[in-house]
Amino acid sequence: MSLASSLELLAPARNLESGIAAIDHGADAVYIGGPSFGARAAAGNSIADIAALAGHAHRYCARVLLALNTILRDDELDDARRLVWQAYEAGVDALIVQDMGLLELDLPPIQLHASTQCDIRTPEKARFLQDVGFSQIVLARELDLAQIRAIAEATDRERCALEFFVHGALCVSFSGQCTISHAFTGRSANRGECSQMCRLPWTLKDPVGNTLSERRHLLSLKDNDQSANLEALIDAGIGSFKIEGRLKDLAYVKNVTAHYRQSLDAILERRPELARSSAGRSAFTFEPRPEKTFHRGSTDYFVNGRQGDIGSFESPKFVGAPVGRALRVQGRTLVAELAQALGNGDGLSWFDAAGALQGARVSRVEGANVTLSGAPEGLVPGATLYRNLDHAFDKQLAGRTAERRLQVRMRLSEVDDGLQLEVTDETGVSASARIACDKAEARDPDRAATTLREALCKLGNTIFACEPDAVELATQAPWFVPMAQLNGLRRAAVDALLDARAAAWRRPQRAAPVEPSARYPDTTLNYLGNVFNERARAFYCRHGVELIADAFEANRESGLVSLMITKHCLRYSFNLCPKQVKGIRPEPMTLWQERSEDGTVVREPLTLRFDCRRCEMHVIGRRVGGKGRKPARG
């Protein structure tokens, strides 16, 4: 199968359980964090669990990618190298990295993928990463279709696949270019410890100090949803479709993975020139509904150009879908005008008078009367009610919800002392087994043939499936065979096929860098180059970079710097963009966030500067604590 025609659905795995669920629900690959050095510090996993996941994934020709995508201190490099070797021995197929220092280490021949933290927005950078040996690169979420096509034209899909986030949370900053968490809390996003300051409420003031918006979540975005753009992304050059969510729960992984599996399969049915990158087909016991699990509203972001409504300014939480409004409230009971039926155990939410999201579980529903599990804080008549937990749907997802099987065909033939059964799976792997048995002539040949086919197709709890018309009876006659012997033959052939599939598994090879060495697109790197160790510095020097600053996490930057660079623009959101309104100048604005330090309330304004040529917003501030803070430790 050509890499250029291969499509991969890449799902998150918080742990072994969610990784197995992702594979069962149709993922072609999963990405998971190891014991350390992952960009989600709260989603670490043991090498034993990763090995178990790899074993399950490889049964379906699916891949396991290890996220080792933080920047590393010099004293962490040896531990990182050991971890990579352990992962390789556990069966991991590829390594997702941000820190280029890893490429200078003695690593196993494992495939390398460039993390979203590498901030890949230009054809030049994408080509560079391909040429230094990356086999897959995650493009910035902020790109539009034309920019993706330009990168695809500059790279070789037979050497390097393009990956793109299609669902889940959106970081407001370009990934890898956000230092606000480290600046204010010492917890670095580049070190896997983001404090999510973008989800806090902020107050926006204009250049003369007038308040434009007070205590709203102005840096919080809706969630990514590219369901409607999958085919356009394929045509633009994307080969791997990534679901965000290594911190999300099991229900989210099942629901969203199944949704995108169905969507991609529908495209594959229409496009025979395309193929999925793994084997097997998943059957679901539920109808996927992505809107039923955690999300902050949906946007396709910049894929089709800039849009106004990409922010989740009212709340960074899961508000849910509107289901009605409150008419009367008394104690724990409310009378509601409902547009949709509620069920016991559902979760309701509403906004109080201060604009804060409140919520409670439904204990009982009797017509328009709804009894809640607790007092509905801040709920007043007229308030819109939202359902952010569908108890019946969640209960459905709690059980076994998918079964993934590989199609096989069978050939039953005669040998000197009995019968032989050959089984071939959909990938072309074959195995066979024999039994010695007496062959008796059947009194009803047609019925005997039907019985043989049906018995051989009873594959039970195996990972295989076979239809009766895929069974070839290459015998002189449809013999009568005792069922116990036939079952034993089938089981032996299936066991042999499992062994043959395991023996046929081949890990994808690491790509060789081009010679002579590719040159990095720039000759200088500032603090946003995220160079945090001497091996990374040596890598960039070897590739033509002459001036290299330390990463922000080294705490060398004591003045005002860009703590975030975003495509999201608050001038645009509030209809104050010079491209929207003639005569407006893009003068700086300020963001204010009340913070308490040592018992006193202080105000630390952040300056917003607008680069209208690039259509970007810079959030400017300084590192709290000045020169005294030590570099963040893992």
Side-chain angles (χ1 to χ4, degrees):
M1 178 175 55
S2 167
L3 182 61
S5 63
S6 172
L7 302 184
E8 174 183 83
L9 176 58
L10 177 55
R14 179 172 186 161
N15 51 31
L16 174 60
E17 182 184 21
S18 64
I20 289 174
I23 296 295
D24 290 347
H25 287 74
D28 301 303
V30 294
Y31 62 105
I32 189 170
S36 53
F37 307 128
R40 296 290 183 270
N45 293 276
S46 69
I47 291 296
D49 279 356
I50 291 170
L53 178 57
H56 184 73
H58 293 160
R59 299 168 85 188
Y60 303 98
C61 305
R63 300 193 297 171
V64 173
L65 318 180
L66 180 71
L68 202 160
N69 54 340
T70 58
I71 58 174
L72 305 167
R73 299 190 312 264
D74 286 292
D75 64 322
E76 294 172 324
L77 290 173
D78 280 345
D79 288 340
R81 182 188 60 80
R82 279 191 290 271
L83 175 56
V84 175
W85 276 100
Q86 290 169 354
Y88 181 79
E89 291 162 358
V92 166
D93 297 280
L95 191 66
I96 304 172
V97 302
Q98 174 189 10
D99 195 320
M100 296 299 143
L102 287 167
L103 277 68
E104 301 291 293
L105 302 181
D106 174 28
L107 298 183
I110 191 168
Q111 198 173 85
L112 299 177
H113 293 190
S115 168
T116 183
Q117 298 295 109
C118 291
D119 184 34
I120 306 166
R121 286 181 267 163
T122 66
E124 294 79 12
K125 189 166 187 180
R127 181 57 183 254
F128 169 77
L129 291 169
Q130 170 191 281
D131 288 349
V132 298
F134 284 91
S135 298
Q136 190 156 307
I137 57 177
V138 192
L139 303 187
R141 295 169 171 92
E142 292 81 1
L143 299 184
D144 61 30
L145 289 170
Q147 292 170 314
I148 293 170
R149 279 192 291 270
I151 290 175
E153 290 169 2
T155 52
D156 180 356
R157 279 197 64 183
E158 293 293 349
R159 294 170 54 199
C160 184
L162 302 184
E163 180 182 318
F164 195 71
F165 278 97
V166 294
H167 200 92
L170 287 167
C171 295
V172 66
S173 175
F174 291 112
S175 292
Q177 307 296 283
C178 183
T179 58
I180 194 169
S181 176
H182 181 77
F184 280 89
T185 70
R187 294 165 54 189
S188 166
N190 284 318
R191 302 270 294 158
E193 297 177 329
C194 178
S195 62
Q196 294 199 325
M197 292 192 66
C198 55
R199 303 296 182 185
L200 297 177
W202 298 86
T203 295
L204 176 66
K205 295 190 177 184
D206 70 11
V208 296
N210 296 317
T211 297
L212 300 177
S213 182
E214 188 168 8
R215 292 195 60 77
R216 296 175 72 200
H217 304 269
L218 300 175
L219 298 177
S220 180
L221 300 181
K222 291 180 178 178
D223 281 6
N224 188 18
D225 185 347
Q226 302 296 338
S227 298
N229 299 321
L230 294 178
E231 198 153 10
L233 289 167
I234 292 169
D235 292 336
I238 298 301
S240 180
F241 301 84
K242 189 172 192 174
I243 300 167
E244 180 276 337
R246 279 201 292 129
L247 295 179
K248 299 287 177 60
D249 63 18
L250 188 61
Y252 170 94
V253 171
K254 290 181 173 184
N255 188 24
V256 176
T257 303
H259 166 71
Y260 281 94
R261 180 71 273 151
Q262 288 184 340
S263 299
L264 287 172
D265 282 349
I267 295 171
L268 291 170
E269 289 287 336
R270 297 195 309 271
R271 304 274 298 266
E273 77 277 15
L274 303 172
R276 65 180 295 185
S277 63
S278 68
R281 194 159 186 102
S282 298
F284 310 121
T285 64
F286 69 104
E287 184 62 34
R289 299 280 301 276
E291 74 278 5
K292 291 284 189 181
T293 42
F294 185 95
H295 68 94
R296 302 178 179 91
S298 297
T299 175
D300 68 359
Y301 212 25
F302 294 96
V303 164
N304 290 303
R306 183 178 287 279
Q307 305 173 55
D309 190 22
I310 65 173
S312 178
F313 294 169
E314 303 310 317
S315 175
K317 300 177 181 178
F318 182 19
V319 176
V323 292
R325 65 188 183 97
L327 300 178
R328 294 195 303 275
V329 182
Q330 184 174 1
R332 293 193 301 118
T333 301
L334 64 111
V335 177
E337 181 181 62
L338 296 174
Q340 297 181 30
L342 293 175
N344 296 344
D346 283 356
L348 281 184
S349 67
W350 58 88
F351 289 98
D352 63 19
L357 187 67
Q358 306 289 350
R361 296 288 289 270
V362 174
S363 293
R364 187 171 66 254
V365 181
E366 296 176 339
N369 296 309
V370 181
T371 303
L372 302 176
S373 59
E377 186 176 347
L379 180 59
V380 297
T384 299
L385 299 172
Y386 303 86
R387 175 164 52 193
N388 59 6
L389 189 152
D390 186 325
H391 179 66
F393 187 73
D394 271 21
K395 187 175 180 180
Q396 191 178 13
L397 287 178
R400 186 176 183 184
T401 49
E403 185 177 76
R404 183 167 177 173
R405 290 179 180 255
L406 291 88
Q407 289 294 320
V408 298
R409 62 183 188 275
M410 298 183 180
R411 186 176 188 272
L412 185 68
S413 59
E414 296 181 57
V415 291
D416 291 341
D417 59 346
L419 295 171
Q420 174 177 284
L421 180 62
E422 183 180 14
V423 185
T424 304
D425 70 26
E426 62 188 67
T427 68
V429 177
S430 295
S432 61
R434 295 183 176 190
I435 57 165
C437 65
D438 295 326
K439 295 168 287 190
E441 185 173 338
R443 285 180 290 184
D444 185 341
D446 290 341
R447 184 174 181 181
T450 298
T451 299
L452 284 171
R453 287 191 172 94
E454 290 178 349
L456 292 174
C457 288
K458 290 181 179 179
L459 292 168
N461 294 323
T462 72
I463 64 170
F464 303 111
C466 185
E467 300 299 325
D469 59 5
V471 178
E472 178 188 358
L473 300 180
T475 56
Q476 293 180 14
W479 303 110
F480 169 77
V481 181
M483 195 58 64
Q485 291 184 325
L486 198 60
N487 289 342
L489 176 62
R490 184 193 64 239
R491 284 192 292 267
V494 166
D495 289 343
L497 182 58
L498 287 171
D499 290 342
R501 285 186 57 78
W505 172 71
R506 294 292 181 270
R507 195 194 315 259
Q509 293 297 302
R510 180 173 174 177
V514 300
E515 294 293 343
S517 294
R519 293 186 66 81
Y520 190 73
D522 297 308
T523 58
T524 63
L525 280 175
N526 65 12
Y527 66 98
L528 293 174
N530 298 323
V531 176
F532 203 38
N533 59 71
E534 290 305 313
R535 292 300 186 101
R537 187 176 298 274
F539 170 88
Y540 285 111
C541 285
R542 189 162 56 84
H543 291 284
V545 183
E546 298 169 1
L547 185 62
I548 303 172
D550 289 332
F552 189 80
E553 287 74 7
N555 298 330
R556 306 278 190 250
E557 306 290 335
S558 58
L560 292 170
V561 295
S562 293
L563 301 179
M564 284 183 177
I565 304 174
T566 79
K567 196 73 175 174
H568 167 52
C569 177
L570 286 172
R571 276 195 169 274
Y572 190 89
S573 297
F574 286 89
N575 200 35
L576 295 171
C577 170
K579 297 178 182 179
Q580 294 170 306
V581 183
K582 290 184 178 180
I584 288 183
R585 294 170 57 86
E587 295 177 347
M589 295 179 170
T590 51
L591 278 180
W592 300 75
Q593 169 67 53
E594 290 188 358
R595 305 183 64 77
S596 177
E597 292 185 356
D598 301 323
T600 61
V601 175
V602 298
R603 286 188 174 273
E604 299 169 342
L606 297 173
T607 300
L608 304 180
R609 296 192 184 278
F610 304 92
D611 184 340
C612 293
R613 185 174 65 84
R614 291 187 172 88
C615 226
E616 295 173 356
M617 181 175 76
H618 288 243
V619 181
I620 309 293
R622 70 177 76 244
R623 183 169 50 85
V624 175
K627 298 179 180 179
R629 176 169 294 171
K630 296 179 180 179
R633 303 189 70 83

